[in-house]
């Protein structure tokens, strides 16, 4: 039995078509295994909410992902399946998302009787910060950031719309802007009320000092800074949020299993370790670093 060139070509094409499927299965297996090891080490339920910018196939158009109703359905199901005495670890990497979906997840987190810990390896902005506020402890990388949760109406911050109405005579303001201003007042009041509810959470114990609650609400919800302003670990700690600095190494390993989709030439490239045996010591994290549950 002999094979022609075209027979070999079709065999090659067949195996090439199976390779992406096999790689996805392998990646999924590694993810599940790593999550299971992390859960065993901390005796917790681990939930990942990771949003990366993706590209539409062929066209290469960037497509930003965010917290959606579908995400809230899945997270709520995971919380519902968690026994009341089992802690929840939520790993966040998100620019934010829909208010409805975010509030649903946050309410479910503060209603969970056991401890809720949020891990932020890089950033959790807007709605991601709101989810962090629902946690009993926020564990962050030393360079990770949170963000304001002030409401946005379309492309405009609610606080800026109100500023226009305050600065201009009422007769010079058009009806549409007045309507937007009315909606802005309602939106800010609603967000402040919800954030205050999150900060007053005392299950399983009080997490925020009562004297810090109004300061946090004022800083995060009133548009004192732009919506994409990065709130550093130092600023968040100064506000009175329950911040711990220093992530377990296994969190970074998990993030490596959710890579940014590649579309041609990588925008960042480096050699992971230097040549030879002279390896630099990793810097000691500041604050109260958690022990890595996956290390013996």
């Amino acid at each position: 039995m002999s094979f022609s060139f075209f027979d070999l070509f079709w065999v090659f094409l067949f195996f090439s078509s199976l390779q992406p499927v096999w790689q996805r299965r392998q990646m999924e297996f590694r993810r599940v295994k790593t999550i299971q090891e992390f859960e065993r080490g901390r005796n917790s339920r681990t939930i990942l909410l990771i949003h990366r910018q993706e590209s539409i196939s062929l066209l290469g158009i960037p497509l930003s992902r965010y917290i959606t109703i579908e995400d809230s359905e899945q997270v709520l199901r995971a919380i519902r399946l968690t026994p009341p005495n089992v802690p929840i670890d939520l790993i966040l990497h998100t620019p934010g998302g829909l208010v409805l979906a975010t509030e649903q997840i946050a309410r479910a987190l503060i209603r969970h009787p056991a401890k809720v810990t949020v891990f932020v390896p890089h950033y959790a902005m807007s709605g991601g910060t709101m989810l962090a506020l629902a946690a009993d402890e926020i564990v962050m990388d030393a360079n990770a950031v949170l963000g304001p949760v002030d409401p946005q109406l379309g492309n405009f911050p609610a606080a800026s719309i109100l500023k226009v109405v305050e600065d201009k005579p009422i007769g010079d303001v058009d009806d549409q802007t007045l309507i937007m201003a009315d909606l802005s007042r309602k939106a800010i009041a609603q967000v402040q009320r919800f954030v205050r509810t999150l900060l007053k959470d005392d299950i399983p114990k009080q997490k925020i000092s009562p004297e810090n609650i109004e300061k946090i609400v004022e800083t995060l919800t009133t548009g004192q800074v732009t919506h994409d302003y990065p709130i550093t670990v130092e600023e968040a700690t100064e506000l009175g949020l329950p911040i711990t600095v220093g992530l377990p190494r296994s969190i970074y390993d998990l993030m490596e299993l959710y890579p940014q989709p590649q579309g041609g030439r990588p925008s960042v490239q480096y050699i992971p370790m230097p040549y030879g045996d002279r390896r630099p010591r990793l810097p000691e994290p500041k604050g109260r670093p958690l022990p890595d549950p996956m290390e013996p």
Side-chain angles (χ1 to χ4, degrees), residues 58-257:
L58 297 179
L59 299 179
I61 302 173
L63 177 66
S64 296
R65 298 188 60 196
Y66 53 88
I67 302 172
T68 64
I69 293 297
E70 288 73 21
D71 290 333
S72 69
E73 290 176 359
Q74 293 298 319
V75 175
L76 291 179
R77 183 173 186 272
I79 296 173
R80 189 167 58 249
L81 293 174
T82 305
N85 62 332
V86 175
I88 290 178
D89 291 332
L90 177 61
I91 300 174
L92 277 180
H93 179 80
T94 178
L98 297 179
V99 174
L100 171 60
T102 301
E103 290 196 6
Q104 282 185 303
I105 297 172
R107 286 189 184 278
L109 290 175
I110 63 173
R111 286 171 177 164
H112 187 69
K115 181 180 179 180
V116 175
T117 305
V118 162
F119 294 88
V120 184
H122 187 52
Y123 70 92
M125 305 294 286
S126 189
T129 298
M130 194 171 287
L131 296 182
L133 297 179
D136 300 294
E137 183 179 20
I138 307 170
V139 185
M140 299 176 65
D141 180 88
N143 299 305
V145 296
L146 303 175
V149 297
D150 57 306
Q152 310 291 297
L153 273 65
N155 296 322
F156 303 105
S160 297
I161 297 173
L162 290 177
K163 190 72 168 57
V164 170
V165 176
E166 292 171 1
D167 290 349
K168 295 180 69 174
I170 191 69
D172 296 339
V173 181
D174 62 272
D175 291 346
Q176 184 175 357
T177 303
L178 290 174
I179 293 172
M180 294 288 286
D182 180 59
L183 292 175
S184 297
R185 291 189 191 93
K186 294 174 181 176
I188 292 175
Q190 289 168 194
V191 169
Q192 288 182 333
R193 184 166 58 249
F194 183 65
V195 170
R196 194 174 290 111
T197 299
L198 298 180
L199 298 178
K200 288 182 177 180
D201 173 43
D202 57 0
I203 300 175
K205 63 180 182 179
Q206 183 73 39
K207 59 189 179 184
I208 303 292
S209 299
E211 64 269 16
N212 290 330
I213 290 179
E214 291 306 317
K215 177 178 68 173
I216 296 173
V217 171
E218 181 76 12
T219 301
L220 296 182
T221 65
T222 56
Q224 297 179 8
V225 292
T226 59
H227 193 61
D228 60 352
Y229 176 78
I231 298 174
T232 63
V233 166
E234 291 79 9
E235 289 181 85
T237 302
E238 187 177 349
L239 280 174
L241 295 177
I243 303 293
T244 296
V245 183
L247 293 174
R249 170 58 60 182
S250 48
I251 295 289
Y252 300 107
D253 294 337
L254 265 172
M255 292 298 295
E256 291 292 331
L257 298 178

Side-chain angles (χ1 to χ4, degrees), residues 41-61:
R42 288 181 54 85
N43 294 317
S44 67
R45 158 84 70 180
T46 301
I47 305 171
L48 281 76
L49 188 58
I50 297 176
H51 295 127
R52 292 193 181 276
Q53 179 173 285
E54 299 182 352
S55 297
I56 300 176
S57 180
L58 297 179
L59 299 179
I61 302 173

